[in-house]
């Protein structure tokens, strides 16, 4: 079956603009995660959705970052008023409850 | 929060050589995970470890859960060119948890294999 997909694969935006990144998880997976990977670094947890529970937003770096998950499936990560330090690869993962996480290919965000 | 420290940061080896890398933490983990990331892709789980002292193999890969529960190592035997990539250790943000949940990652070991 299809894996986790993310769009766009690359996004270049000007400082101060808002961006939306999309994640389509594996069908039937109950949990969805967003991570950020800066150049040469490991992955940094951002936010976690599990079923209908309130999302765990403990990893969001500022209030410019938000995410929603519609219908328990597709998720959108929104970054408002982008800054240059937001440049990174944003990775989405999904899992069946808290089992193995399957990652998408990521969206490479460049803020100029 | 928990910090995972991986070493070495990078390795340059000849095809056929064995590789060893490790990961340490100041916190006790009940689950250790090893991932590989190819360029332009997301990480893929290689091996999961759930018990102190556990030694698990997956083909040419072997990983061990340290007895102190604060470290883990990954060995690759007889390396081949497709082993090239970044290897990450990871564990639950809630270090004492036994399920995956949200993960914390080491900074990665970059492996280059010369044919």
């Amino acid at each position: 079956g299809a894996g986790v997909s993310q769009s766009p694969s690359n996004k270049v935006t000007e400082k101060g603009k808002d961006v939306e990144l999309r994640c389509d998880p594996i069908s039937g997976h109950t949990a969805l995660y967003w991570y950020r990977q800066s150049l040469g670094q490991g992955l940094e947890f951002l936010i976690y959705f599990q079923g209908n529970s309130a999302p765990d937003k403990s990893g969001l770096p500022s209030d410019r970052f938000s995410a929603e998950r519609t219908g328990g499936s597709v998720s959108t990560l929104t970054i408002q008023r982008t800054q240059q330090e937001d440049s990174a690869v944003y990775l989405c993962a999904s899992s069946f409850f808290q089992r193995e996480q399957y990652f998408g290919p990521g969206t490479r965000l460049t803020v100029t | 929060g928990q910090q995972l420290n991986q070493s070495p940061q990078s390795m340059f080896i000849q095809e056929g050589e064995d590789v060893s890398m490790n990961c340490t933490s100041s916190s006790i983990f009940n689950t250790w995970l090893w991932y590989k990331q190819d360029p332009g892709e997301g990480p893929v789980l290689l091996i999961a470890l759930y018990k102190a002292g556990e030694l698990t193999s997956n083909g040419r890969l072997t990983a061990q859960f340290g007895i102190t529960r604060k470290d883990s190592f990954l060995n690759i035997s007889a390396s081949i060119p497709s082993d090239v990539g970044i290897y990450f250790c990871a564990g639950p943000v809630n270090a004492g948890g036994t399920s995956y949940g949200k993960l914390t990652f080491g900074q990665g070991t970059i492996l280059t294999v010369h044919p």
Side-chain angles (χ1 to χ4, degrees):
Chain A
V4 177
S5 61
Q6 293 186 242
S7 61
S9 54
N10 281 284
K11 176 72 177 178
V12 180
T13 190
E14 292 180 352
K15 177 181 173 182
K17 295 281 180 69
D18 298 351
V19 295
E20 287 188 350
L21 312 180
R22 177 186 168 105
C23 172
D24 283 88
I26 292 173
S27 177
H29 276 189
T30 57
L32 187 148
Y33 312 78
W34 284 98
Y35 293 87
R36 177 169 71 175
Q37 184 176 26
S38 301
L39 186 64
Q41 299 296 315
L43 281 68
E44 172 192 7
F45 166 75
L46 297 177
I47 187 169
Y48 161 43
F49 297 88
Q50 171 61 61
N52 295 321
S53 302
D56 179 341
K57 305 178 183 180
S58 59
L60 294 179
S62 78
D63 58 9
R64 296 186 295 104
F65 288 71
S66 63
E68 63 177 22
R69 189 180 184 195
T70 53
S73 181
V74 172
S75 177
T76 302
L77 177 69
T78 301
I79 309 173
Q80 295 178 309
R81 305 181 302 281
T82 52
Q83 304 294 313
Q84 288 187 329
E85 60 263 28
D86 299 335
S87 296
V89 176
Y90 290 82
L91 290 154
C92 173
S94 71
S95 68
F96 183 69
F97 291 95
Q98 291 189 340
R99 306 286 294 277
E100 177 183 350
Q101 294 179 29
Y102 292 83
F103 284 83
T107 294
R108 180 174 299 278
L109 175 66
T110 303
V111 182
T112 61
Chain B
Q2 305 90 4
Q3 201 165 4
L4 297 180
N5 299 304
Q6 283 188 249
S7 64
Q9 287 188 328
S10 61
M11 303 181 74
F12 299 84
I13 62 169
Q14 290 292 129
E15 182 177 358
E17 289 183 358
D18 296 343
V19 171
S20 184
M21 59 189 80
N22 65 47
C23 187
T24 60
S25 170
S26 57
S27 304
I28 288 175
F29 278 78
N30 287 343
T31 301
W32 283 92
L33 307 170
W34 283 94
Y35 282 85
K36 182 192 179 199
Q37 185 177 28
D38 291 329
E41 302 291 330
V44 174
L45 182 66
L46 299 174
I47 292 179
L49 301 160
Y50 300 105
K51 197 189 307 184
E54 178 182 0
L55 185 73
T56 298
S57 293
N58 178 7
R60 293 178 298 105
L61 277 61
T62 302
Q64 182 153 31
F65 194 142
I67 201 71
T68 65
R69 293 194 285 156
K70 292 184 178 182
D71 63 329
S72 177
F73 73 74
L74 175 71
N75 286 348
I76 305 173
S77 63
S79 58
I80 58 178
S82 62
D83 291 333
V84 165
I86 306 176
Y87 291 79
F88 292 100
C89 60
V93 170
N94 173 17
T98 54
S99 58
Y100 291 80
K102 53 190 182 183
L103 299 175
T104 184
F105 284 76
Q107 71 271 42
T109 293
I110 301 171
L111 179 63
T112 303
V113 180
H114 295 288

